[in-house]
Amino acid sequence: TDYETILVETRGRVGWITLNRPEALNALNSQVMRDIVAAASVFDADEAIGAIVVTGSERAFAAGADIKEMESKSGLEMVMDDHFGQWSRFAEVRTPVIAAVSGYALGGGCELAMMCDIILAADTAKFGQPEINLGVIPGMGGSQRLIRAVGYYKAAELILTGRMMDATEAERSGLVSRVVPAADLLAEAEKTAATIASKSLPSLYAAKAALDTAMETPLAEGLRFEKHVFAALFDTADQKEGMAAFREKRAAEFEGR
Ligand code: HXC
């Protein structure tokens, strides 16, 4: 498939999506949304892919939704076009997704990172929800996901002031899984993704579904979900292989079934 705004590559069992609109600091216009959603769906349907990495450039992961594209829209158009609607399909990808963030992750860029399962940040990364400076609010999940990531008071301060936080503060706040030197970001992302992709695919899907459920449900309901999904994995060949490999003191060879 041809994509206009991203570069797509497969390395081993890892699918790479690199945002490529350098002239706009990777601002997320509707073509970027279509491209990312399409590429992620293709990877997600491919059992040879066990993890996806989404990254940008050194200067910007993504500087937000494309302000120039949105500026003249009416509220009615935003509703009827469902301008950001397809992003939910990206958030619903079953394959684990790593955001490798260098430079700006602002507005929709921060929200895109928060749709991923792991956020690796270069020490140059800057996160923020600056929509308040534009007379709007986060619109791709930021007001909901940021609170769940960093708690009410940090999220409220960021969303109400629009200020940016650096990688250290983002890690301390719980938004970032790990900070690495900028020069190591892509290698660390590749290593982490390859580690994940070497696991049993059904268990990865189950783990991601359980993590998502934890974000969405009361504890008792989440625990019930976990119990059922945990039990279901005992019908996979990979569970037998994983536990036999432990007993036989060798590395497991998972088949994804
Ligand atoms: C469209 C953008 C853009 C954006 C940058 N550009 N961000 N274009 N939408 N979000 C463009 C600039 O217009 C400029 O193009 C080029 O990228 C380089 O940007 P500069 O501003 O010249 O770079 P710099 O001075 O280094 O400043 C970097 C920056 C700044 C601090 C990141 O660009 C900035 O504040 N950008 C907007 C950040 C933002 O408000 N994001 C939230 C968007 S709203 P030209 O051609 O002019 O030189 C949002 C809502 C999501 O995300 C939810 C839906 C409602």
Side-chain angles (χ1 to χ4, degrees):
T1 320
D2 285 332
Y3 301 107
E4 289 174 31
T5 63
I6 59 173
L7 305 171
V8 171
E9 192 187 341
T10 300
R11 286 187 222 157
R13 290 182 53 74
V14 178
W16 284 75
I17 297 174
T18 303
L19 280 76
N20 189 30
R21 283 192 80 206
E23 73 284 2
L25 300 183
N26 292 329
L28 307 169
N29 62 15
S30 30
Q31 187 61 42
V32 178
M33 174 174 71
R34 282 193 292 274
D35 284 349
I36 291 183
V37 168
S41 303
V42 169
F43 284 141
D44 202 31
D46 184 349
E47 289 188 17
I49 297 294
I52 298 169
V53 177
V54 178
T55 194
S57 67
E58 244 176 78
R59 193 165 162 220
F61 177 72
D66 192 312
I67 298 167
K68 295 164 191 168
E69 187 187 53
M70 306 185 271
E71 182 180 354
S72 63
K73 297 219 181 255
S74 69
L76 183 63
E77 278 177 287
M78 294 301 273
V79 171
M80 298 311 286
D81 300 353
D82 197 11
H83 192 64
F84 297 102
Q86 283 186 45
W87 283 115
S88 59
R89 288 179 52 207
F90 175 76
E92 284 164 11
V93 159
R94 295 193 298 167
T95 311
V97 184
I98 297 174
V101 177
S102 178
Y104 297 111
L106 302 178
C110 186
E111 294 170 298
L112 174 60
M114 289 191 288
M115 290 178 206
C116 301
D117 304 296
I118 292 174
I119 303 179
L120 293 183
D123 50 16
T124 56
K126 289 200 182 305
F127 297 86
Q129 296 289 161
E131 289 89 346
I132 205 80
N133 299 326
L134 302 168
V136 293
I137 67 167
M140 278 168 53
S143 67
Q144 306 302 301
R145 290 198 176 95
L146 191 60
I147 283 190
R148 286 160 168 82
V150 305
Y152 180 85
Y153 292 101
K154 181 66 85 175
E157 196 222 347
L158 289 165
I159 289 170
L160 295 174
T161 67
R163 80 168 172 89
M164 295 183 211
M165 62 177 170
D166 64 18
T168 307
E169 183 182 357
E171 184 184 37
R172 190 177 354 107
S173 308
L175 177 60
V176 157
S177 314
R178 199 149 48 86
V179 180
V180 300
D184 302 342
L185 178 69
L186 296 183
E188 283 296 327
E190 176 146 24
K191 210 161 78 181
T192 305
T195 299
I196 292 169
S198 72
K199 314 299 182 193
S200 164
L201 204 52
S203 69
L204 291 175
Y205 291 165
K208 179 161 173 169
L211 288 161
D212 285 346
T213 299
M215 286 296 221
E216 294 163 8
T217 58
L219 180 62
E221 198 179 317
L223 291 173
R224 269 193 296 278
F225 179 86
E226 182 191 70
K227 192 194 306 199
H228 288 300
V229 174
F230 180 77
L233 290 171
F234 283 73
D235 289 333
T236 64
D238 282 345
Q239 174 265 327
K240 300 295 178 268
E241 163 62 11
M243 294 193 180
F246 172 79
R247 180 168 36 74
E248 292 161 10
K249 302 187 189 298
R250 59 174 175 82
E253 286 192 33
F254 293 121
E255 286 175 16
R257 53 204 67 248

